[in-house]
Amino acid sequence: MRNVQTLSLGVPILMVAFASLPAAAQRGAQVAVAAADHAGNPGRPESAGGPSSNAAFWEVLNDPTLSRLLDEALRGNLELHAASARLDGAGASRTEAALELAPIVTAGASYTRRRLSSASFPGVGAGVGAAALPDQDLWDSGLRASWELDLFGRLRGGLRARNALLGSAGEEVRDAEVSVAADVARAYFDLRGAQGQLAVARRNAENQRRTLELTKTRLDAGRGTAFDTERARAQLSSTLAAIPALEARVAAMQNRIAVLVGRAPRELAADVAAEGALPEFPDSVPGGDPADVVRTRPDVLGAEGRLAASRSLVSSARADYLPRLSLAASAGYLASTMNSFGGTGTFNYTFGPVVSWPAFDLGRVKARVDVAQAQELEARARYEQVVLLAQEELETASVRYRTARARLGHLREAAAASERAASLARLRYEGGVADFLQVLDAERTLLAVQDQLAQAQTEVADAYVALSRARAAGWRTAEPMRRR
């Protein structure tokens, strides 16, 4: 047997571009995309794509710096860019599933040179010394099309699943926006809280420095003791020792905010370097049944979308038990010479239905159905867990905010009383009515209470962030930003 010698040039072209489809295929793709827009969850929620605005929870605080940082973070945060990329991928996947409902048309062209073995044709030139068959040239081009009619919903089930996953990806973008904005607000409030504690320490250090000067003056006048002076010096040094740690905390929060808004730390430090007070927080926030509130949270809606997708995949997998009906067609030219290519007698076509059924492979079909059902059970359990965690977060945040507000009120009263007591102690000491121990005790109490007050203000802010995060339905976002 002689070796067959062939030379082929194949140019298959997958014509998935909508403009390249024939008119019938274009109509099929239009129907598929229209079905995608109405199957399952909405494909691209209102919260998805372009620059985002502030959340309504922060607008009541009237803090321009916070509003500006939130706007910048919702546009520049890199985690949001990653979430937006995942949303784009889910959209492309849905488009691919939609096009599965339309005909698949390919165009191809090839040239082949071959020699067939004479042994392939018994009785023709057989025997020792028989002449070899001549070389042949084959020129071939044409269109080939196939269209699965999807009688039992296998492809439509996959499309519904992709559509639900696209909706879930959109909710994940919104959930990422809520998380990033909450992180920015928390870091901003921590920054303001640290600046407040730093201001308290510096203010008390200045008061204690004046007290130290007073003890020195009384010592020089013979009305004080070195013991009082050294105790005043020790208290001042202790207060000054706390300042570097607070300055480090301020710098750390500045750096944290810079990363959250997508900028280098040094670029943002100057923007938030100016000290500012924490805003006044509302006495209460809108109530409502926790079950109703969490139902519109993006993480809950995202889990619900994944559950809907898993349900559709079960339906699609079950459709594999039933036959598939497709229409197949091809048309083109086949010639042995380039000159005759496209001439009379070289045109050929085929057309007809194709039915396939995995009659002897139902075990694999059942395994795929079992996998899809197990994934649906997992998605259901995860959805119920997300709902329970959301309710827990909302209940805990509500209690935490209420108790933090109550604690803050008591500490404000304590701070005002401690400040009056410290002033009276200094006056009594200057008048020689009380000893220096009362002054030290009053100033220590004032410093401790004012520091607790500053911490309590930060705790209220942090509780407000947690409650706002738990009530994510109150966030107002526009279309998601595009990747840079």
Side-chain angles (χ1 to χ4, degrees):
M1 179 184 295
R2 297 176 182 270
N3 293 330
V4 177
Q5 300 177 359
T6 64
L7 174 65
S8 64
L9 297 172
V11 191
I13 305 174
L14 180 61
M15 304 177 67
V16 296
F18 181 79
S20 303
L21 293 175
Q26 291 184 14
R27 288 193 296 271
Q30 290 172 343
V31 171
V33 173
D37 289 334
H38 296 88
N41 293 332
R44 190 175 284 265
E46 292 181 359
S47 61
S52 300
S53 65
N54 291 330
F57 270 115
W58 311 127
E59 293 174 354
V60 301
L61 302 180
N62 296 321
D63 190 322
T65 303
L66 175 60
S67 299
R68 177 173 52 81
L69 291 174
L70 284 171
D71 279 335
E72 189 173 351
L74 293 174
R75 288 184 174 89
N77 183 269
L78 298 180
E79 288 292 335
L80 291 184
H81 284 288
S84 179
R86 289 192 294 271
L87 178 62
D88 291 342
S93 181
R94 184 189 70 162
T95 301
E96 181 184 12
L99 289 176
E100 289 291 328
L101 292 171
I104 299 176
V105 182
T106 61
S110 66
Y111 163 74
T112 305
R113 182 174 180 83
R114 68 180 183 180
R115 176 185 296 174
L116 299 177
S117 171
S118 58
S120 302
F121 304 92
V124 179
V128 178
L133 294 179
D135 294 345
Q136 291 181 319
D137 293 333
L138 290 178
W139 299 83
D140 184 18
S141 71
L143 296 175
R144 292 172 178 80
S146 63
W147 188 8
E148 183 177 345
L149 299 183
D150 195 33
L151 298 179
F152 303 106
R154 184 183 71 88
L155 297 179
R156 291 194 300 276
L159 175 57
R160 285 193 299 271
R162 295 296 181 183
N163 202 47
L165 289 175
L166 177 59
S168 179
E171 294 298 335
E172 288 175 358
V173 171
R174 192 162 72 95
D175 188 52
E177 288 180 341
V178 171
S179 297
V180 166
D183 289 342
V184 170
R186 184 177 292 110
Y188 175 77
F189 293 146
D190 285 345
L191 170 65
R192 292 307 187 208
Q195 289 175 336
Q197 288 181 266
L198 182 59
V200 167
R202 287 172 174 169
R203 186 166 59 250
N204 277 275
E206 186 60 31
N207 291 337
Q208 292 166 8
R209 189 175 286 108
R210 287 197 297 267
T211 301
L212 176 60
E213 294 300 326
L214 176 61
T215 60
K216 289 181 179 179
T217 300
R218 289 175 62 87
L219 179 62
D220 294 340
R223 293 186 295 121
T225 65
F227 181 58
D228 291 342
T229 302
E230 293 307 318
R231 283 192 299 182
R233 193 189 309 278
Q235 181 167 270
L236 173 60
S237 298
S238 177
T239 302
L240 293 175
I243 291 179
L246 292 172
E247 291 175 338
R249 183 180 163 194
V250 168
M253 289 301 103
Q254 290 175 341
N255 295 338
R256 177 64 181 154
I257 294 172
V259 171
L260 288 172
V261 301
R263 293 166 62 180
R266 291 185 178 179
E267 295 179 4
L268 188 73
D271 294 347
V272 292
E275 294 184 2
L278 284 167
E280 285 295 325
F281 296 94
D283 293 334
S284 62
V285 295
D289 183 13
D292 294 334
V293 173
V294 303
R295 192 173 292 121
T296 52
R297 280 177 44 142
D299 54 345
V300 173
L301 292 175
E304 185 179 8
R306 288 188 291 271
L307 176 58
S310 64
R311 257 193 234 108
S312 297
L313 290 176
V314 171
S315 174
S316 179
R318 284 174 175 165
D320 279 338
Y321 281 119
L322 303 172
R324 298 185 190 178
L325 176 61
S326 302
L327 299 179
S330 66
Y333 294 92
L334 179 65
S336 58
T337 63
M338 182 62 177
N339 293 335
S340 62
F341 186 73
T344 304
T346 62
F347 177 75
N348 66 91
Y349 75 92
T350 61
F351 175 79
V354 177
V355 178
S356 60
W357 181 43
F360 303 102
D361 200 24
L362 294 180
R364 287 187 174 87
V365 175
K366 182 180 183 303
R368 289 195 292 270
V369 172
D370 291 343
V371 169
Q373 289 176 334
Q375 291 174 342
E376 181 188 5
L377 292 176
E378 179 187 2
R380 180 178 298 278
R382 292 189 180 278
Y383 168 72
E384 294 174 354
Q385 178 73 357
V386 168
V387 171
L388 289 177
L389 290 175
Q391 291 177 349
E392 176 196 12
E393 183 181 356
L394 179 57
E395 294 282 7
T396 302
S398 299
V399 173
R400 182 184 170 196
Y401 184 65
R402 185 176 65 251
T403 56
R405 292 275 314 171
R407 180 171 181 266
L408 178 62
H410 293 310
L411 285 173
R412 280 175 173 167
E413 294 177 0
S418 297
E419 190 168 0
R420 290 193 298 268
S423 298
L424 290 173
R426 279 192 291 269
L427 289 175
R428 288 167 59 85
Y429 176 68
E430 291 175 7
V433 179
D435 60 11
F436 188 65
L437 182 60
Q438 293 183 7
V439 177
L440 288 179
D441 183 65
E443 289 186 345
R444 277 195 300 265
T445 302
L446 176 62
L447 175 59
V449 172
Q450 287 183 339
D451 189 65
Q452 290 181 32
L453 177 61
Q455 293 181 29
Q457 290 173 330
T458 305
E459 288 173 3
V460 169
D462 192 63
Y464 186 79
V465 171
L467 184 56
S468 302
R469 175 67 179 88
R471 297 179 58 88
W475 292 72
R476 177 170 55 81
T477 56
E479 299 184 3
M481 45 69 217
R482 309 306 299 171
R483 287 171 288 167
R484 290 178 297 184

